Amino acid sequence: MSRTGLNSQRRWLKPLLISSGVVLTLLLLVVPLIFIFVAAFSAGVGGIWQNLTEPDMLHAIGLTLLVAGLTVPINLVFGTLIAWCVTRFSFPGRRLLLTLIDIPFAVSPVVAGLLYLLLYGSNGPFATLLDQHDVQLMFAWPGLVMVTVFVSCPFVVRELVPLMSTLGTEQEEAAVLLGASGWQVFWHITLPNIRWALVYGVILTNARAVGEFGAVSVVSGTIRGQTNTLPLHIELLQQDYNTAGAFIAAALLTLIAIATLVVKAFLQWKLARTSD
Amino acid sequence: MSIRIEQVNKRFGDFVALEKVNLQIKTGELTALLGPSGSGKTTLLRIIAGLEQADSGRIHFNNEDITGQHVSERGVGFVFQHYALFKHMTVFENVAYGLTVKPKKFRPNNAEISKKVHNLLQLVQLDWTADRFPAQLSGGQRQRIALARALAVEPKVLLLDEPFGALDAKVRAELRRWLRRLHDEIQVTSVFVTHDQEEAFEVADRIVVMNKGAIEQDGTPEQVYDTPANPFVYEFLGNVNLFRAKVKQGQTTIGKVQLASPEHTNGKEQDGFAYVRPHEIDVLIAPSSDALKVTIDLVTIVGPQVRLEVLTVVETNNDNNNEQQLIHIELPKDQFKALQLHQGDMAWIQPRYSKVFLGEGI
């Protein structure tokens, strides 16, 4: 084909690609997003207030915050330890460990939930042991925390590993040579260098913990006012034909998501600046 | 503080980094570990520091065995090639770090720390940078800060891993002289790793040449340069020409050229390789019976020096098949101008001095 032919082809290709991109974004993202708020506000301010203060809704909000509030610190500590382990030491199985960390991303959350249910539920191998000590994991908040920790555990690790690999070990070695102890090295040298990536990992973990549906729905049993998180509550409200209530809860989750995106964008900008 | 290294071995998987290394470093000496990359010099330095553990062998500081001692207890100062300054701390905080992490019992008070840090910054002539961050300093300045930081804990031994490797040529030369003067001033036993022979010669009291995990030679710069222990050392310490030679009763014959080599007194004729440095060759314009006939192939003028590449025909063992050999020659520009030689001209060359190693060479 001649050069001009290629150019003329490009002339209509470029606007076509751009406009289809814009149209798809509008149809798939922007319109639904706006619709959530429109539908939520259709109940009026009084309706919103009534729905928000309803006991089951308040309990769902509280439970969601509890699950996220426990998941984030657990994964923060766990993720930092793993990242430290794989970037600061070399041992057999190091690559395997790095691959295993990604399993929660590869496995469907429903499968993860089911696995936990079979393993720690009333028919699982630990059932007698858990019964003896009067511990209920499944269909209770500990189960929700367990599956949420599982599905969101790669975020912190995946943020830290590339950064800690590029940082290298020289600064830490220098600190040890100057007489610093292991803790001092971590607090004085490692943590200040990874803090923004760590916060970024926390933001992502939190977003996932708040919004998780699949894994949580399997182990929760959706007991109203007891084991219902916000995403599960939305489904229940929808099934109750309380469309306004469902959209109000959805709007709440959407607000959290938007806030997360804003913080994320700010941190990305900050990270890019500090890594220069 | 003297350092004694005994029978140290280190492997990384299948790669032998150090093999049966023995070395003694005297108190107050500035020693260079010189060798190509992969020769094990950095590994040896890191083993002395305690950053790596030897697979076997012992390390002694003054007669005390410190092989099992942790890095933080050895009291070594270490300077990294890429400075390894704490980038989120100011220069002052960097230099003070070793003092501030001391256990409370031994930690000096803030006034003492401040005084000491400023004294060190004065020593490295960077007192005015105390409140800056490492990113605001040049490479040479950062390395001097790194040195001040290492000296703050009054190390018994100072170890430097390619300290000038990341700097440009001019700053590197400046810093080399500065390090030499600083060492004369503070007299702490120091070991530095380098792959640059010029750097080792300029700075060190003593040079340890390493290759493939073993020490090839160990001596003063003059000893190492003038009497290289083996072909590797000879070749590593600067450009060199290699000639097939025959040796008999203290006489070396390269083609028609006769040279004295009193170290080989065997009456029987032996094959060997004669090593001749580029600046140890005379160039003649008139034919001479005891010179090699050459053709000038390339003339390069580098400042006051002229580098010649000349070609000569050498007889190989197979008589019908003579091959050409490239010889590098260096001579002062004035001398070259006086010869009035040009590319393509014929000339005759005479090595003034050579070092002969018997056997098939390397």
Side-chain angles (χ1 to χ4, degrees):
Chain A
M1 191 183 285
S2 73
R3 206 185 151 78
T4 44
L6 198 72
N7 275 342
S8 65
Q9 195 187 21
R10 271 197 193 144
R11 213 169 293 148
W12 58 263
L13 196 63
K14 197 169 146 188
L16 181 83
L17 284 174
I18 293 176
S19 52
S20 56
V22 170
V23 168
L24 279 175
T25 310
L26 282 173
L27 281 178
L28 295 175
L29 286 173
V30 180
V31 171
L33 199 65
I34 293 169
F35 186 69
I36 289 175
F37 287 100
V38 170
F41 277 97
S42 69
V45 178
I48 291 177
W49 182 250
Q50 199 194 341
N51 270 295
L52 277 179
T53 50
E54 194 245 339
D56 286 350
M57 177 75 97
L58 283 178
H59 188 271
I61 295 172
L63 188 61
T64 303
L65 293 180
L66 173 78
V67 170
L70 285 173
T71 302
V72 167
I74 290 172
N75 276 339
L76 178 68
V77 173
F78 175 73
T80 312
L81 283 178
I82 292 277
W84 178 282
C85 210
V86 296
T87 57
R88 294 299 178 257
F89 301 98
S90 113
F91 51 89
R94 196 177 141 269
R95 277 181 187 281
L96 185 71
L97 185 64
L98 261 174
T99 316
L100 283 178
I101 287 299
D102 278 345
I103 278 192
F105 279 178
V107 168
S108 160
V110 178
V111 176
L114 197 64
L115 274 174
Y116 273 80
L117 188 61
L118 292 175
L119 204 59
Y120 298 106
S122 53
N123 297 319
F126 303 113
T128 352
L129 187 74
L130 292 171
D131 251 7
Q132 275 167 7
H133 295 85
D134 205 19
V135 177
Q136 192 184 2
L137 294 178
M138 294 302 112
F139 308 124
W141 68 265
L144 301 180
V145 174
M146 284 164 80
V147 291
T148 312
V149 165
F150 178 85
V151 296
S152 64
C153 84
F155 287 108
V156 171
V157 182
R158 289 178 69 127
E159 276 309 308
L160 289 187
V161 167
L163 176 69
M164 287 177 76
S165 305
T166 37
L167 277 174
T169 53
E170 280 198 348
Q171 288 187 45
E172 286 153 10
E173 282 178 348
V176 175
L177 283 155
L178 290 167
S181 68
W183 275 114
Q184 283 173 323
V185 172
F186 180 76
W187 287 112
H188 299 158
I189 314 300
T190 314
L191 195 59
N193 278 327
I194 62 170
R195 61 176 188 266
W196 290 116
L198 211 54
V199 175
Y200 189 46
V202 162
I203 294 285
L204 294 178
T205 307
N206 186 57
R208 182 69 196 260
V210 168
E212 177 55 27
F213 179 84
V216 167
S217 76
V218 178
V219 299
S220 122
T222 46
I223 308 164
R224 218 176 275 244
Q226 278 184 37
T227 62
N228 242 7
T229 60
L230 259 184
L232 298 178
H233 197 57
I234 294 174
E235 200 200 16
L236 272 189
L237 291 171
Q238 173 72 19
Q239 285 163 357
D240 290 349
Y241 301 107
N242 182 355
T243 314
F247 273 106
I248 288 164
L252 213 56
L253 277 182
T254 311
L255 280 178
I256 296 176
I258 291 171
T260 304
L261 284 178
V262 171
V263 178
K264 181 184 152 203
F266 170 74
L267 286 178
Q268 257 171 346
W269 170 77
K270 190 96 189 169
L271 261 178
R273 246 181 33 145
T274 48
S275 63
D276 279 345
Chain B
M1 175 83 43
S2 66
I3 306 170
R4 197 167 84 241
I5 296 151
E6 278 176 11
Q7 296 284 315
V8 163
N9 286 294
K10 177 75 182 174
R11 280 165 169 275
F12 294 106
D14 290 337
F15 177 72
V16 180
L18 292 173
E19 199 167 19
K20 285 188 194 151
V21 169
N22 287 295
L23 182 63
Q24 197 133 22
I25 292 163
K26 282 189 234 138
T27 309
E29 247 183 357
L30 177 51
T31 304
L33 298 179
L34 174 65
S37 58
S39 61
K41 54 196 192 307
T42 295
T43 307
L44 183 58
L45 194 78
R46 289 173 66 87
I47 287 176
I48 298 173
L51 291 170
E52 303 282 354
Q53 289 299 315
D55 298 337
S56 62
R58 324 259 0 133
I59 313 277
H60 299 264
F61 280 2
N62 277 345
N63 289 313
E64 190 196 345
D65 188 339
I66 52 113
T67 316
Q69 225 174 48
H70 188 253
V71 195
S72 54
E73 293 165 353
R74 290 196 186 185
V76 298
F78 201 99
V79 174
F80 293 86
Q81 180 178 2
H82 298 286
Y83 333 121
L85 291 177
F86 310 135
K87 58 182 183 179
H88 58 286
M89 296 186 194
T90 62
V91 165
F92 181 93
E93 287 166 339
N94 263 283
V95 178
Y97 189 76
L99 302 170
T100 53
V101 295
K102 278 186 192 234
K104 266 216 173 78
K105 275 190 292 183
F106 308 106
R107 193 189 309 155
N109 64 39
N110 285 346
E112 279 166 352
I113 290 178
S114 168
K115 190 168 166 238
K116 185 151 192 187
V117 171
H118 283 290
N119 282 342
L120 280 164
L121 288 176
Q122 264 158 23
L123 182 72
V124 300
Q125 300 154 5
L126 286 170
D127 203 20
W128 52 277
T129 64
D131 296 325
R132 305 207 173 189
F133 285 92
Q136 297 166 289
L137 304 180
S138 72
Q141 290 168 338
R142 285 185 217 181
Q143 199 55 297
R144 273 145 68 191
I145 297 299
L147 193 64
R149 181 179 70 178
L151 292 173
V153 290
E154 292 174 17
K156 297 176 275 187
V157 170
L158 184 62
L159 306 172
L160 307 101
D161 185 9
E162 303 249 5
F164 315 123
L167 305 169
D168 62 63
K170 190 157 175 272
V171 179
R172 188 188 290 203
E174 220 171 86
L175 221 52
R176 282 207 292 246
R177 285 191 288 277
W178 176 82
L179 177 70
R180 182 63 244 184
R181 280 200 302 275
L182 185 77
H183 182 262
D184 292 341
E185 210 171 302
I186 59 176
Q187 294 285 335
V188 59
T189 310
S190 309
V191 182
F192 79 101
V193 158
T194 180
H195 61 262
D196 180 348
Q197 357 98 12
E198 210 181 300
E199 191 167 294
F201 283 119
E202 198 175 320
V203 178
D205 294 319
R206 195 147 148 248
I207 293 180
V208 176
V209 184
M210 295 189 68
N211 182 36
K212 292 181 182 162
I215 291 174
E216 299 278 357
Q217 192 171 8
D218 163 16
T220 64
E222 210 178 348
Q223 279 169 351
V224 173
Y225 193 81
D226 292 344
T227 52
N230 55 41
F232 172 81
V233 177
Y234 208 102
E235 222 161 304
F236 191 68
L237 298 182
N239 287 329
V240 72
N241 294 299
L242 200 70
F243 296 96
R244 265 175 204 284
K246 299 212 184 292
V247 190
K248 191 181 172 187
Q249 286 178 324
Q251 279 284 317
T252 300
T253 315
I254 307 168
K256 290 178 201 156
V257 184
Q258 296 276 329
L259 286 164
S261 48
E263 68 273 28
H264 300 295
T265 52
N266 201 324
K268 220 178 104 203
E269 192 178 80
Q270 288 171 290
D271 280 330
F273 278 94
Y275 287 74
V276 183
R277 298 236 181 257
H279 61 268
E280 290 170 340
I281 296 175
D282 285 330
V283 182
L284 314 168
I285 37 172
S288 166
S289 59
D290 58 349
L292 295 174
K293 190 174 139 191
V294 297
T295 324
I296 311 268
D297 192 45
L298 186 71
V299 179
T300 321
I301 300 176
V302 186
Q305 286 278 318
V306 177
R307 290 184 193 153
L308 301 179
E309 285 182 16
V310 303
L311 290 169
T312 186
V313 177
V314 289
E315 292 168 23
T316 54
N317 293 339
N318 179 353
D319 282 329
N320 331 329
N321 192 9
N322 288 347
E323 54 182 48
Q324 284 202 315
Q325 186 188 350
L326 184 71
I327 301 165
H328 294 270
I329 301 171
E330 270 176 34
L331 68 170
K333 196 164 153 185
D334 300 344
Q335 211 175 312
F336 178 73
K337 287 269 143 92
L339 291 169
Q340 292 195 312
L341 282 170
H342 302 281
Q343 222 148 296
D345 285 356
M346 210 73 92
W348 284 262
I349 59 164
Q350 257 179 338
R352 281 195 299 275
Y353 173 83
S354 84
K355 169 92 184 162
V356 181
F357 294 99
L358 296 178
E360 280 303 298
I362 47 169

